[in-house]
Amino acid sequence: MRMHHHTSLLGVSALALAIAGGVAPAFAQQDGAPAGSSGDDIVVTGVRESLRSAAALKRNADQIVDSVQAQDIGKLPDANTTEALQRITGVQIQRRYGEGATDFDHRTQPAITVRGLTQVQNFLDGRAVYSASGGRAFDLEGVPPELLSGIDVYKNAPANIIEGGVGGAVNLRTRKPFDSPGQVISATIRGNYYDRIDKPGYAVSGLYSNRFQAGEGEIGVLINAVYSKSQYRQDGLLAGPFDTVAPGSIAGAPANAQVPYGFEIYDDKGDRKRLGVAGAVQWKPSDALLVTAQAQVTKYWFNRTGAYYYDYNNRSNVRDETGKVIKYGTAPAPGAAFTFNNEGYATSGTLYPQTFETGRYDQQLWSASKNFTLNAAWKPTDRLKVNFDAQYLTSYYNADRNGHVLSLYDRSGQDALSAPHKLSVDFDLRGKYPRWDVREQGVLNNPANYTTPYVADALQRNDADTYALASDIEYEVEGDFLKKLRAGVRYADNSIDLRGTWHGVCITALGADPGCNAPAGTPLVPLSKNPQLAMPGPSKNWFDGNTVKGGLLYPAFPAGDGVWAQTKALYALLGATTQDSFKPGDLNSQTEKTYTGWAIADYGFELGGIAFDGGVGVRVVKTKTTSVGTQFNNDGTSSPISVSKDYTKALPSFNLRAKLTDTFQMRFAYSKGLARPNFDQLSTNLTLNNPNQINPVTGHPSASSGNPLLNPIRSDNFDVTAEWYFGPTSSLTGGLFYKKVNGFLAGGIVTGVYNGVTYDISTQVNSGNGTVKGAEIGYNQFFDFLPGPLSGLGLQANYTYVDSSVSNPFASTDPNSPRQLPLEKLSKHSYNIVGLYEKGPVTARVAWTWRSSYLDQTQGSGANGIPQYAAPYASLDASISVNLTQQVAISADVVNLNNRMNRIYIGTPAAPLRYELNDRRFGLSLRATY
């Protein structure tokens, strides 16, 4: 265990406890070590201290909260902020592009769920934050973990916590100068290697913190900065979707034989860069006043090259209104041998005829958030505390995207039967690594066989700003029952501008055609006219060398400085024009103002020799929104529209804790919560279709729109916990929870009157209700009682069970599909087992994370509305650190040590859709702290 004279961990527990208890952060900072602390103070850091601090936070908080603490300056236990959260009971994360992250094309969907719900409020040092992507979440993957001292997850938030999450709330904590007794200087250099893409990455971070006497008072300053770059490659193999084959087309096939339409691969690679700077100045002129000014700036760059090679047969089974197949489009090769699993899905065989296209979609994202805050904590009397807080948050979210397709078709309107290259595809899904290949391998890598039929471009430029003012007061009553009164007010003014385009152009011998209206049979433009627009693929040792071994071609872009310059050069070659500006339908502006008042009465009493305490409170929130967009009429005219809505909600809360012994306590908590719809769901652009085309069922013409009149999702939250703290770093905790949630969003129809006509408007509606219930258990202990070196062994383990059921009448177009489904992205079972060792100069950690299958998408890809699921998966991570001196440590770690394969299936595990492999990440770092 490393011991040194100064560390920023001193005071972290007090700060975290104050935040968890609802006290303004500044109050806790008054409890930090005084500036005159002796230079001989010994502060313990490392895994033991991080566990002790997290346990103390959970134990002493007046609400249900779990935390992960930094083991040292710039050292969360995981190399990614999102990944660190997966160690907390009840939290599950998504993985994309080799890290804990969300999909680029679904940026408004958070990468984490708390107890199965994605509607999670995000805080930075206790203040609400969100990114400009159009969602409500902060871009956690863009936050360098080196900036953080810890992360808290609130499970059942009381009235003093800012509303916005029915699942819970996540608080990212940065460091402040008064967290430490004196000067702290720390620097870390880290190198990474990513084995699949075979490239290095790195991170450099540094922190300086100090405290100075200022007359009768004291001033503290802190600056913390980090810059990092990481690489990734993601290999994906896709099968299907599966469908029925014609009777008798496969000898010996089962009666319900299902065969995939075809196969594809995606070859995804890119890099991430993160810049984070956090600064803080604290001034304490007297024991009664503490002023804290903070600034946090994070910037994130994500560059992605997504190359796809996919079957494009233009054939599928055609069914009548009863569901009977009247025309077969599945294509088993005549006379080919097939194998099937016990549910009738093909596991090997040959498909014919097959033909292919290949697409490349490059994406360049750059985003930033800047958060500036000023806090004054005043304690005019021993019993009275007053807090004032001001915040300004500004962010942007920009992206350039493109698309480029090469095709084995040579004319428009063809299908696999009329294609110039009819291919046979052999596949085998039975081994560890699924594989497929064409028999005519020379076809796929011959540029003479390809045409250039389609290009696309897209721009996104979003901006968001928040101004927030808050004040609260706390008065210690010290009565026999009533102990403390707390109350506060908050005003927030949010504004966001959403700007996004998507523009595609078909290319034929007739020229560029944005409407893609060329008649069937029109010749396509051969690649030979621009041979530089192709590149060889797939990547080296793609999917470990088991598929398309003869090679193929991907689209290539002309040279240019960035995605947009390359896109414009491509368009110029093909005689097309990019959409360089935003049209009215690409724009939406929104404002949202909230007015909040809250109050909590804290109580305590003794009954039957048992000490009880807790709080009862209410939070009242008034929300006023305005969404500005454009109405597009059928006659080609348009006009601006503005839709306003306001609503007031009361959110009561109740917490009770029973201290049954000095080490064992139980809690009960109840609260109401709300989560507002994402900003992109509240957009208000409206398109009115032909009023003379009437739906015979409703008698109305159709329209489409976002829905600025959506109500927030609401929840009633119940928790019961039991907590046994049998040592400073030893605990066994468990809990039961139940949530009743109303107003989940789904696609639906509402009516509206425009120009005197009633329209059926396709939009988002509050239609779904559901329940979430489950149990959590967590265990932490160092085995100090073991002899000698074995006394450094420790164990962390937790398990979460979550069962959910949500009604969604719009979940599927299939009348036979289920109307009650679990929540998306939610595994019913998940657990973490972390083996620890800390003795002398050595610290080591091995972490095994597992989660069961989960609903990935309500409507699976190309599967007629059948739900799409992710199979269970596990991940193994490991690290070791050695203290070379009291000030210098060297560390090594590896992520995804077991080289796991992620699998997605449609409806049943017997019907695979996607197999995915990611990099293993190897890291080596050197840290110095003085």
Side-chain angles (χ1 to χ4, degrees), residues 249-476:
S249 60
I250 301 175
N256 62 334
Q258 302 281 302
V259 169
Y261 284 116
F263 289 85
E264 68 178 87
I265 71 173
Y266 68 85
D267 194 344
D268 209 321
K269 64 184 70 173
D271 65 78
R272 299 174 170 92
K273 292 182 288 186
R274 299 177 174 94
L275 172 66
V277 179
V281 176
Q282 293 185 285
W283 176 44
K284 188 177 181 182
S286 69
D287 290 340
L289 180 63
L290 175 62
V291 179
T292 303
Q294 290 177 266
Q296 299 104 354
V297 178
T298 60
K299 291 190 175 183
Y300 182 52
W301 298 265
F302 177 63
N303 298 300
R304 177 191 177 201
T305 297
Y308 300 78
Y309 203 92
Y310 50 92
D311 65 286
Y312 196 67
N313 299 315
N314 286 327
R315 301 179 67 217
S316 60
N317 288 357
V318 179
R319 289 174 164 81
D320 63 18
E321 63 275 5
T322 67
K324 179 183 177 181
V325 180
I326 57 177
K327 181 180 179 181
Y328 288 93
T330 47
F338 278 76
T339 60
F340 295 87
N341 58 34
N342 57 10
E343 294 186 44
Y345 291 87
T347 55
S348 69
T350 303
L351 306 179
Y352 178 87
Q354 296 279 292
T355 194
F356 292 88
E357 288 189 344
T358 172
R360 180 172 153 190
Y361 300 89
D362 289 2
Q363 299 165 333
Q364 187 173 20
L365 161 71
W366 62 105
S367 62
S369 293
K370 301 176 183 179
N371 190 49
F372 304 97
T373 61
L374 181 64
N375 181 276
W378 181 39
K379 191 176 181 181
T381 72
D382 288 342
R383 293 190 179 185
L384 181 64
K385 299 177 182 178
V386 183
N387 186 67
F388 303 95
D389 197 82
Q391 176 192 14
Y392 172 60
L393 171 69
T394 182
S395 60
Y396 63 77
Y397 182 92
N398 299 333
D400 293 343
R401 294 179 287 166
N402 60 29
H404 180 200
V405 172
L406 304 180
S407 178
L408 289 176
Y409 290 119
D410 61 0
R411 294 179 180 272
S412 61
Q414 290 175 318
D415 62 21
L417 294 174
S418 58
H421 304 286
K422 300 180 181 65
L423 305 174
S424 298
V425 171
D426 298 311
F427 68 94
D428 192 338
L429 308 179
R430 295 172 294 181
K432 177 182 178 181
Y433 294 104
R435 60 181 177 83
W436 66 267
D437 218 331
V438 298
R439 294 182 179 177
E440 306 83 0
Q441 292 191 1
V443 172
L444 303 190
N445 56 30
N446 186 352
N449 296 333
Y450 288 89
T451 57
T452 56
Y454 183 77
V455 292
D457 61 278
L459 292 172
Q460 189 169 2
R461 298 289 187 271
N462 295 348
D463 296 291
D465 292 285
T466 293
Y467 299 88
L469 297 172
S471 181
D472 54 76
I473 188 170
E474 174 185 312
Y475 182 71
E476 294 183 10

Side-chain angles (χ1 to χ4, degrees), residues 93-96 103 106 109 118 821-827 851-861 866-871 873 902-907 913-914 916:
I93 72 169
Q94 298 301 304
R95 295 182 179 274
R96 203 75 171 110
D103 192 295
H106 302 89
Q109 297 181 6
T118 59
L821 290 169
L823 290 165
E824 291 185 359
K825 316 300 182 185
L826 167 64
S827 292
R851 63 182 300 184
S852 62
S853 61
Y854 59 88
L855 177 64
D856 186 59
Q857 294 182 28
T858 302
Q859 298 190 47
S861 301
I866 302 173
Q868 173 177 311
Y869 292 87
Y873 74 78
N902 302 328
R903 294 185 296 116
I904 301 291
Y905 58 87
I906 296 291
L913 172 66
R914 186 172 77 234
E916 188 178 280

